[in-house]
């Protein structure tokens, strides 16, 4: 078939079938199709109903096929509730295509689904989604599990969190943490103060050195190194651990309609479906 004849055929078919719009193809032309799914979300292990309209002006139709990929999103959050002078939370969200688009289910063509009103074939069908794609979360657990932390957040994350937190902590943060955790009975020996004339208040800090700096005392540094990561994220009020890990999945589904030559037209518009 020449390119000119292809263009003539498509011009005619576009006039006859409104849902195709004005599309230009080169090479072999396959059946044309349009579809709608019932919803933009579905439960893992269930089936998604759809309505398909299709036709061909070139060759006999053989079958329709549902194809979809799999996109996984991981959302992570860890917070230290002990700090006073700032809020320390590490958050991240990452999406990744875990599986490229692949064949899911086939639907044999039947002359019985011809619709005179649409002047096209109309198929009501459904396609499945695996139950293994259900969302997963590990959110504010009552018991801490270091193995899960490494699995969900990666090796080295706990030490990185602890080291990063230390560099940001101020006098008030150390005081609240050490007294709240019962690591010290009092904080007086580590406390000094300076009068702020502008605000007429006393500013509390670590004892000053000869160079007027107020570094964290060595004893407190050593004590910090003994604190387990889990204690840093334990909420003293609720007893929960301030960690959240969530994994969700979505698919991008299309339908291909093949003719007896094994040729399919442009895939239908992709449908993004959240799995819940």
């Amino acid at each position: 078939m020449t390119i000119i004849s292809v263009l003539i055929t498509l011009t005619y078919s576009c006039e006859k079938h409104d849902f195709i719009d004005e599309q230009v193809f080169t090479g072999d032309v396959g059946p044309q199709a349009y579809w709608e799914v019932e919803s933009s979300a579905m439960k893992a292990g269930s089936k998604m109903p759809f309505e398909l309209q299709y036709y061909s002006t070139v060759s006999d139709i053989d079958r329709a096929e549902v194809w979809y990929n799999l996109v996984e999103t991981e959302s992570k959050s860890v917070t230290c509730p002990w700090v006073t002078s700032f809020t320390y939370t590490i958050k991240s969200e990452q999406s990744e295509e875990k599986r490229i688009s692949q064949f899911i289910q086939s639907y044999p063509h039947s002359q019985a689904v011809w619709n005179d009103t649409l002047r096209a074939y109309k198929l009501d069908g459904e396609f499945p989604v695996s139950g293994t794609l259900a969302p997963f979360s590990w959110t504010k657990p009552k018991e801490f599990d270091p193995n899960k932390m490494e699995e969900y957040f990666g090796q080295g994350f706990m030490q990185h969190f602890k080291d990063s937190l230390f560099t940001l902590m101020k006098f008030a943060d150390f005081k609240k943490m050490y007294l709240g955790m019962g690591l010290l009975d009092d904080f007086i020996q580590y406390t000094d103060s300076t009068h702020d004339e502008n605000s007429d208040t006393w500013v509390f800090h670590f004892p000053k050195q000869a160079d007027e700096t107020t570094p964290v005392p060595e004893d407190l540094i050593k004590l910090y190194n003994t604190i387990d990561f889990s204690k840093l994220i334990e909420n003293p009020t609720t007893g929960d651990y301030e960690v959240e890990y969530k994994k969700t999945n979505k698919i991008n589904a299309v339908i291909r309609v093949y003719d007896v030559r094994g040729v399919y037209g442009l895939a239908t518009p992709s449908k993004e479906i959240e799995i819940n």
Side-chain angles (χ1 to χ4, degrees), residues 130-158:
S130 172
T132 62
L133 300 182
F136 171 79
S137 65
W138 186 52
T139 304
K140 296 188 176 183
K142 292 292 186 182
E143 295 184 6
F144 181 75
D145 188 334
N147 294 324
K148 288 184 178 180
M149 279 300 307
E150 285 199 355
E151 179 183 353
Y152 303 148
F153 290 81
Q155 291 187 353
F157 173 84
M158 290 184 279

Side-chain angles (χ1 to χ4, degrees), residues 5 27 153 168 178 198 218 257:
S5 65
F153 290 81
L168 299 174
Y178 285 35
N198 294 326
E218 190 65 28
V257 180

Side-chain angles (χ1 to χ4, degrees), residues 4-27:
I4 294 177
S5 65
V6 170
L7 294 177
I8 293 173
T9 299
L10 288 179
T11 301
Y12 171 76
S13 62
C14 290
E15 294 175 352
K16 189 175 180 181
H17 301 273
D18 294 337
F19 61 81
I20 299 304
D21 294 328
E22 296 179 358
Q23 303 180 34
V24 178
F25 302 81
T26 60

Side-chain angles (χ1 to χ4, degrees), residues 62-107:
D62 181 66
R63 69 192 184 279
E65 293 181 355
V66 169
W67 289 59
Y68 59 69
N69 73 344
L70 174 64
V71 178
E72 178 185 274
T73 298
E74 289 184 314
S75 177
K76 308 175 185 181
S77 174
V78 183
T79 301
C80 176
W82 292 101
V83 293
T84 299
S85 60
F86 64 99
T87 300
Y88 189 68
T89 299
I90 291 182
K91 292 183 178 181
S92 69
E93 183 170 301
Q94 181 177 356
S95 295
E96 178 183 1
E97 185 179 47
K98 303 295 287 187
R99 189 179 69 209
I100 64 173
S101 186
Q102 67 178 35
F103 166 77
I104 301 300
Q105 187 164 322
S106 181
Y107 308 84

Side-chain angles (χ1 to χ4, degrees), residues 36-42 48-49 271-274 276:
E36 290 292 343
V37 296
E38 185 176 85
S39 174
S40 60
M42 64 185 298
M48 171 62 75
K271 304 297 183 181
E272 183 177 275
I273 302 171
E274 300 285 342
N276 55 37

Side-chain angles (χ1 to χ4, degrees), residues 3-251:
I3 292 179
I4 294 177
S5 65
V6 170
L7 294 177
I8 293 173
T9 299
L10 288 179
T11 301
Y12 171 76
S13 62
C14 290
E15 294 175 352
K16 189 175 180 181
H17 301 273
D18 294 337
F19 61 81
I20 299 304
D21 294 328
E22 296 179 358
Q23 303 180 34
V24 178
F25 302 81
T26 60
D28 290 333
V29 177
Q32 307 308 307
Y34 173 82
W35 78 326
E36 290 292 343
V37 296
E38 185 176 85
S39 174
S40 60
M42 64 185 298
K43 289 187 176 297
S46 67
K47 294 184 177 182
M48 171 62 75
F50 66 83
E51 179 184 294
L52 170 68
Q53 298 176 28
Y54 63 97
Y55 74 96
S56 175
T57 59
V58 178
S59 181
D60 292 337
I61 298 172
D62 181 66
R63 69 192 184 279
E65 293 181 355
V66 169
W67 289 59
Y68 59 69
N69 73 344
L70 174 64
V71 178
E72 178 185 274
T73 298
E74 289 184 314
S75 177
K76 308 175 185 181
S77 174
V78 183
T79 301
C80 176
W82 292 101
V83 293
T84 299
S85 60
F86 64 99
T87 300
Y88 189 68
T89 299
I90 291 182
K91 292 183 178 181
S92 69
E93 183 170 301
Q94 181 177 356
S95 295
E96 178 183 1
E97 185 179 47
K98 303 295 287 187
R99 189 179 69 209
I100 64 173
S101 186
Q102 67 178 35
F103 166 77
I104 301 300
Q105 187 164 322
S106 181
Y107 308 84
H109 171 62
S110 171
Q111 292 291 337
V113 298
W114 174 259
N115 187 294
D116 284 328
T117 301
L118 297 173
R119 285 183 293 175
Y121 298 99
K122 179 177 178 294
L123 172 66
D124 293 318
E126 57 184 14
F127 62 86
V129 166
S130 172
T132 62
L133 300 182
F136 171 79
S137 65
W138 186 52
T139 304
K140 296 188 176 183
K142 292 292 186 182
E143 295 184 6
F144 181 75
D145 188 334
N147 294 324
K148 288 184 178 180
M149 279 300 307
E150 285 199 355
E151 179 183 353
Y152 303 148
F153 290 81
Q155 291 187 353
F157 173 84
M158 290 184 279
Q159 188 62 50
H160 170 72
F161 182 95
K162 185 176 179 179
D163 294 343
S164 300
L165 175 64
F166 179 84
T167 63
L168 299 174
M169 289 175 61
K170 308 299 182 183
F171 172 85
D173 304 314
F174 282 101
K175 182 177 180 180
K176 178 182 178 180
M177 179 182 291
Y178 285 35
L179 295 180
M181 290 183 179
L183 301 176
L184 294 173
D185 293 330
D186 64 65
F187 218 72
I188 296 177
Q189 61 178 315
Y190 304 107
T191 304
D192 198 355
S193 61
T194 300
H195 186 258
D196 184 348
E197 295 182 356
N198 294 326
S199 61
D200 193 27
T201 59
W202 289 92
V203 179
F204 295 95
H205 50 74
F206 293 122
K208 288 186 178 182
Q209 304 296 302
D211 59 359
E212 294 297 304
T213 61
T214 59
V216 180
E218 190 65 28
D219 289 348
L220 298 186
I221 295 176
K222 292 180 179 179
L223 197 55
Y224 184 85
N225 291 334
T226 68
I227 301 174
D228 188 77
F229 167 80
S230 63
K231 299 297 294 183
L232 295 176
I233 64 171
E234 183 178 12
N235 190 308
T237 303
T238 64
D240 298 340
Y241 291 92
E242 297 294 329
V243 54
E244 296 186 9
Y245 172 82
K246 297 179 180 179
K247 182 173 68 175
T248 57
N249 293 290
K250 66 180 179 181
I251 61 174

